[in-house]
Amino acid sequence: MNGSLKAPSSARDVDVRGFAYALEPVRQRQQWHMDKLMASLARAQQTLVETEARLNEVQSLHDEQARNAGQALVQRMHPGAHRAALGFLTHLRDQWRELDAQRKEQLAERDRLRKECMALQLRLDGMTQHREDALTQYADEVRQRNSNEQDRDWLARSAVVRSHVGESSQ
């Protein structure tokens, strides 16, 4: 947990191995949730791309069949074959409508996932900032403790030196 800790610039001169971020389990869960959301978003995007490709395929096939049916009228096609061609065109149009409805649902789902990812990313960014602030505060406390300890050491040494100087002058 602390091994991957990167110290902000204000904490680089301090040993931060003792720092434990109390909200790390919460941050980790949110990161896992974000990873799952990103995977879901990627799947939704891929599904949308596949649906749009199928939609374009059906549209192209429909356009081609409509052209053929129009030319068949000029060529006096058999009425039964013409009826079958029109039935196939109707089938393609229905299939296109179904795919378009799926595409709209998939767009809505993708947009929902995007919004959820953005909101969660904002929370994660906030937690990252909070963590950096907590680490900076920890570094300030460590510096203060070290400074106090150095002051005590200096005072103790100066008292010892004064007592030695006082003894040698007598």
Side-chain angles (χ1 to χ4, degrees), residues 51-120:
T51 299
E52 287 176 341
R54 180 71 180 126
L55 194 62
N56 290 335
E57 184 181 307
V58 167
Q59 183 66 42
S60 295
L61 185 58
H62 178 273
D63 292 347
E64 181 183 334
Q65 289 297 319
R67 252 190 323 277
N68 291 343
Q71 289 173 354
L73 283 177
V74 174
Q75 297 171 355
R76 298 182 186 247
M77 181 182 208
H78 185 271
H82 185 67
R83 195 172 324 126
L86 292 178
F88 184 62
L89 280 174
T90 302
H91 169 73
L92 288 174
R93 197 171 316 119
D94 292 343
Q95 191 176 9
W96 186 88
R97 283 187 189 123
E98 287 176 21
L99 286 169
D100 190 49
Q102 281 180 2
R103 184 182 64 85
K104 287 176 182 174
E105 289 173 10
Q106 290 167 353
L107 279 170
E109 177 66 8
R110 184 202 60 191
D111 291 345
R112 183 192 67 77
L113 286 169
R114 277 185 179 169
K115 286 177 185 174
E116 200 173 333
C117 282
M118 289 186 321
L120 187 54

Side-chain angles (χ1 to χ4, degrees), residues 2-22:
N2 293 334
S4 65
L5 193 64
K6 291 183 182 171
S9 60
S10 62
R12 289 189 181 164
D13 62 331
V14 176
D15 184 7
V16 294
R17 287 180 290 183
F19 176 72
Y21 184 55

Side-chain angles (χ1 to χ4, degrees), residues 28-168:
Q28 188 67 36
R29 274 194 307 269
Q30 285 190 349
Q31 183 61 52
W32 291 337
H33 185 60
M34 179 63 148
D35 294 344
K36 286 181 184 177
L37 273 177
M38 293 297 285
S40 294
L41 180 58
R43 283 190 302 272
Q45 184 64 34
Q46 181 60 35
T47 302
L48 181 60
V49 166
E50 290 168 0
T51 299
E52 287 176 341
R54 180 71 180 126
L55 194 62
N56 290 335
E57 184 181 307
V58 167
Q59 183 66 42
S60 295
L61 185 58
H62 178 273
D63 292 347
E64 181 183 334
Q65 289 297 319
R67 252 190 323 277
N68 291 343
Q71 289 173 354
L73 283 177
V74 174
Q75 297 171 355
R76 298 182 186 247
M77 181 182 208
H78 185 271
H82 185 67
R83 195 172 324 126
L86 292 178
F88 184 62
L89 280 174
T90 302
H91 169 73
L92 288 174
R93 197 171 316 119
D94 292 343
Q95 191 176 9
W96 186 88
R97 283 187 189 123
E98 287 176 21
L99 286 169
D100 190 49
Q102 281 180 2
R103 184 182 64 85
K104 287 176 182 174
E105 289 173 10
Q106 290 167 353
L107 279 170
E109 177 66 8
R110 184 202 60 191
D111 291 345
R112 183 192 67 77
L113 286 169
R114 277 185 179 169
K115 286 177 185 174
E116 200 173 333
C117 282
M118 289 186 321
L120 187 54
Q121 186 61 51
L122 284 175
R123 285 196 301 273
L124 279 168
D125 291 346
M127 289 196 81
T128 299
Q129 184 61 49
H130 181 262
R131 180 180 176 198
E132 288 175 9
D133 292 346
L135 181 58
T136 300
Q137 183 178 359
Y138 174 79
D140 291 343
E141 291 169 3
V142 168
R143 275 191 218 96
Q144 185 64 40
R145 277 195 309 268
N146 290 343
S147 177
N148 290 343
E149 188 176 322
Q150 288 172 351
D151 287 347
R152 280 192 304 277
D153 287 348
W154 183 84
L155 288 172
R157 277 191 300 248
S158 66
V160 169
V161 168
R162 271 188 258 146
S163 67
H164 286 301
V165 171
E167 290 173 3
S168 48

